Amino acid sequence: MASSFAWLALILGLGVTGALDYNIQANSSKLLRVLNASAPVQELKYHIDVWRNEEALVAVEATLESVIRSEIGGNWERGWLVLQLANQARTPELKEAIYSALWKELQQTTQIYDPAKILEFHEQLSLHTDVPQELLELIYRAFINRSAQLLEAPFHTRSRVATFPLVDSLVHRLTFSTLDYLRDILEALYDAVLALETPLSVVERLGNFSASLIQLAEANLQLLGREELKRADTQVQLAVQSNLRNLLAHPDFELQVPYSLQSEIYEHLPRDEQIMYTARKVCIRNVTDANSYIYECPQTYLICSNARDPKKAAYFVQRGHSNDSRQQFAFFSAFWRNRYILMEPFTATASNASHSSITKNVYSRTDINWWRVVYGNGGISLYDAATEKSVLCGGDPSYWDGEEHHVYTRHASEFSAHQTECTWSLEDCSDAA
Ligand SMILES: *[C@@H]1O[C@H](CO)[C@@H](O)[C@H](O)[C@H]1NC(C)=O
Ligand SMILES: *[C@@H]1O[C@H](CO)[C@@H](O)[C@H](O)[C@H]1NC(C)=O
Ligand SMILES: *[C@@H]1O[C@H](CO)[C@@H](O)[C@H](O)[C@H]1NC(C)=O
Ligand SMILES: *[C@@H]1O[C@H](CO)[C@@H](O)[C@H](O)[C@H]1NC(C)=O
Ligand SMILES: *[C@@H]1O[C@H](CO)[C@@H](O)[C@H](O)[C@H]1NC(C)=O
Ligand SMILES: *[C@@H]1O[C@H](CO)[C@@H](O)[C@H](O)[C@H]1NC(C)=O
Ligand SMILES: *[C@@H]1O[C@H](CO)[C@@H](O)[C@H](O)[C@H]1NC(C)=O
């Protein structure tokens, strides 16, 4: 028995000598030849199978490890060759020894500081069906830990204009992997940064992160799920909402972010805002008068405040983006012969003629017309998206005409003086026939 082991050590020993002697090319490596050639592999298998006692196995692995490590000689790229050849080693022990040796080697090189290298190794190893699960998990954990460490940097930096190219490239690399990796990294990241920084600071930093929309959606939602955030004050909640709004406002948001994540985001917005994104159709009505909805007037093509009638009052919501990529909305009615709620551009003559600060220029028309929605004061306000100089108001009987309870626009600057006239309540009317 002892002599068999000596023989095995001799083969591997030769490998060591060969590797150390002449800074060999990968192709002429003794080790690779030993592992590659069929005969010696079978011999190795035979000897390892015979040598089932612990002591001997440890010795074999230790020797193999040193052979492999001298083979790689600090040049990690050579590790891929060794890994390829692991397929040629026919005993599980030998394969495992190769995998472990490679992992040890990776930890010795400076590459271990680069999460992308660990991830690459993990992915390569995962292609082999016989890698021990514990080893894979250890490597995965190391990848998660290193990634989280790297991502911590921006969260501990006061400057909001500092750039982090390594963080950016890691984040970009992660776009090619499953979202689960990101989730695990974020969990480790938040453990660390929330221990040292305030929740508000963490939320604001995240607001400055550059990453894909999906990643940012996931990162903000995961942060919201943390106990530290649930305990935080309203200022923190508002900061998160601001992050979420920036995502929503992105023209590609609906295209890129999976619907399940979108819905989760909407749930964290105030009710009216949520409705603007989730409702297929909305009704717009007076905040205090539950029997006053806007839709086409009884006799004209102007828009009026009318009695409650969900069928007539339900408008499809269309979302768009203006030049500056901010969001805008249009309200379309199938009931009213495919017309939109439209504000005619404000003309100088019209305003001068009336000598009034209000203008009756809101119609039911076939052309699309965009509105900017502002949330607040217990409801929403609608400004014309093109100029943002007019706001939609109603309810003052002196501008009505019999049964025609016309709505009208005021100059945007008058909003604060006429808040109740220019704030509306939003209802989800998706179910209206
Ligand atoms: C090893 O040989 C292959 C072809 O057999 C060649 O493509 C490769 O460049 C060689 N590698 C080294 C390090 O010499
Ligand atoms: C491994 O063996 C194959 C076929 O036996 C041979 O073509 C290849 O060059 C060998 N590789 C090394 C690194 O020795
Ligand atoms: C990863 O980090 C956790 C928590 O700091 C630690 O317990 C664990 O040992 C680390 N694992 C690896 C593989 O680095
Ligand atoms: C970081 O976020 C703040 C607040 O959202 C913003 O004012 C600032 O312009 C951002 N900085 C950069 C570099 O994006
Ligand atoms: C939008 O852009 C077009 C041309 O790119 C320009 O003519 C128009 O004035 C812009 N509109 C606004 C509201 O900025
Ligand atoms: C309104 O009319 C007055 C004189 O009649 C004129 O000076 C003023 O420029 C007009 N306003 C607008 C907005 O055109
Ligand atoms: C809502 O109704 C109240 C009371 O009738 C009125 O004062 C207010 O101007 C109306 N607001 C709107 C937006 O119609």
Side-chain angles (χ1 to χ4, degrees):
M1 297 276 257
S3 67
S4 300
F5 176 69
W7 179 87
L8 178 57
L10 190 65
I11 293 190
L12 294 169
L14 278 176
V16 176
T17 327
L20 292 178
D21 272 1
Y22 15 80
N23 191 23
I24 33 94
Q25 295 295 303
N27 286 354
S28 63
S29 153
K30 280 252 166 67
L31 167 75
L32 299 188
R33 263 192 278 142
V34 166
L35 295 175
N36 196 18
S38 51
V41 166
Q42 271 157 9
E43 301 259 312
L44 279 173
K45 180 185 172 200
Y46 172 72
H47 284 281
I48 288 173
D49 284 350
V50 168
W51 281 87
R52 274 282 165 199
N53 82 67
E54 294 269 298
E55 204 185 22
L57 266 181
V58 169
V60 168
E61 283 178 16
T63 316
L64 186 59
E65 192 182 304
S66 57
V67 174
I68 289 172
R69 293 186 54 188
S70 64
E71 178 60 46
I72 292 169
N75 178 3
W76 174 245
E77 297 308 317
R78 294 170 69 119
W80 302 130
L81 272 169
V82 176
L83 186 57
Q84 269 173 31
L85 291 172
N87 287 329
Q88 314 255 347
R90 301 231 175 78
T91 68
E93 289 84 357
L94 192 49
K95 286 185 182 180
E96 283 174 27
I98 293 172
Y99 300 141
S100 307
L102 282 172
W103 172 229
K104 285 202 179 134
E105 182 61 24
L106 179 57
Q107 287 170 280
Q108 295 297 318
T109 69
T110 52
Q111 313 264 8
I112 191 68
Y113 294 105
D114 182 355
K117 289 284 179 201
I118 310 178
L119 178 57
E120 189 184 9
F121 183 53
H122 184 265
E123 284 177 345
Q124 290 297 325
L125 272 193
S126 304
L127 298 177
H128 295 245
T129 51
D130 46 15
V131 180
Q133 201 53 36
E134 310 84 73
L135 179 62
L136 276 178
E137 269 161 27
L138 188 70
I139 295 168
Y140 180 72
R141 219 46 242 176
F143 157 66
I144 296 298
N145 285 3
R146 292 285 174 187
S147 300
Q149 272 172 19
L150 191 56
L151 290 184
E152 274 178 51
F155 289 90
H156 300 310
T157 307
R158 290 291 147 246
S159 164
R160 294 201 124 196
V161 290
T163 57
F164 300 88
L166 289 178
V167 171
D168 292 345
S169 86
L170 172 62
V171 167
H172 179 68
R173 174 68 183 77
L174 288 170
T175 59
F176 301 107
S177 304
T178 152
L179 210 50
D180 290 339
Y181 290 9
L182 180 67
R183 288 196 186 100
D184 290 344
I185 293 169
L186 289 169
E187 208 51 39
L189 170 71
Y190 292 150
D191 281 345
V193 295
L194 286 168
L196 297 171
E197 309 284 346
T198 64
L200 182 60
S201 154
V202 173
V203 171
E204 286 176 345
R205 285 304 120 178
L206 190 56
N208 282 119
F209 244 79
S210 51
S212 76
L213 288 172
I214 301 182
Q215 291 174 324
L216 290 174
E218 179 61 37
N220 277 286
L221 287 170
Q222 203 165 324
L223 185 55
L224 270 169
R226 300 278 307 196
E227 279 309 314
E228 295 91 333
L229 267 278
K230 289 178 182 157
R231 289 195 301 265
D233 55 25
T234 46
Q235 201 193 352
V236 175
Q237 311 299 336
L238 292 178
V240 181
Q241 281 179 4
S242 156
N243 284 358
L244 297 180
R245 258 176 219 124
N246 288 339
L247 297 182
L248 284 177
H250 199 285
D252 294 335
F253 177 79
E254 284 175 81
L255 210 66
Q256 288 180 6
V257 177
Y259 189 72
S260 59
L261 284 184
Q262 286 185 32
S263 322
E264 272 188 73
I265 286 182
Y266 301 140
E267 278 167 28
H268 290 286
L269 296 175
R271 186 188 145 277
D272 284 333
E273 207 168 345
Q274 196 176 331
I275 289 178
M276 285 303 288
Y277 292 100
T278 54
R280 239 163 36 86
K281 286 191 254 179
V282 296
C283 295
I284 301 167
R285 73 158 171 89
N286 188 295
V287 176
T288 52
D289 184 350
N291 196 32
S292 172
Y293 287 75
I294 68 173
Y295 53 85
E296 206 171 277
C297 295
Q299 277 138 36
T300 63
Y301 283 138
L302 282 158
I303 295 288
C304 281
S305 306
N306 302 295
R308 182 170 191 283
D309 184 339
K311 216 165 147 175
K312 295 179 178 171
Y315 281 84
F316 286 99
V317 181
Q318 278 177 232
R319 290 187 289 276
H321 289 86
S322 48
N323 279 359
D324 52 7
S325 83
R326 284 186 310 146
Q327 272 189 311
Q328 51 189 10
F329 296 85
F331 303 97
F332 168 85
S333 169
F335 182 88
W336 298 108
R337 300 170 299 279
N338 299 337
R339 287 162 190 264
Y340 289 90
I341 298 176
L342 175 143
M343 188 196 94
E344 281 217 327
F346 193 73
T347 61
T349 45
S351 85
N352 247 4
S354 69
H355 279 292
S356 158
S357 59
I358 75 109
T359 316
K360 286 203 216 175
N361 57 348
V362 185
Y363 294 90
S364 187
R365 290 271 172 81
T366 52
D367 295 333
I368 193 164
N369 182 72
W370 295 105
W371 298 88
R372 192 87 61 205
V373 178
V374 175
Y375 308 91
N377 301 306
I380 63 162
S381 301
L382 297 166
Y383 292 79
D384 75 296
T387 69
E388 288 177 66
K389 288 203 171 114
S390 301
V391 58
L392 180 71
C393 309
D396 187 337
S398 53
Y399 304 118
W400 295 353
D401 183 5
E403 262 191 275
E404 300 248 315
H405 297 182
H406 301 133
V407 301
Y408 42 89
T409 61
R410 284 186 175 277
H411 196 270
S413 62
E414 294 173 47
F415 175 76
S416 50
H418 298 271
Q419 276 182 23
T420 49
E421 253 181 270
C422 311
T423 302
W424 303 87
S425 185
L426 205 55
E427 278 179 16
D428 185 340
C429 281
S430 303
D431 295 334

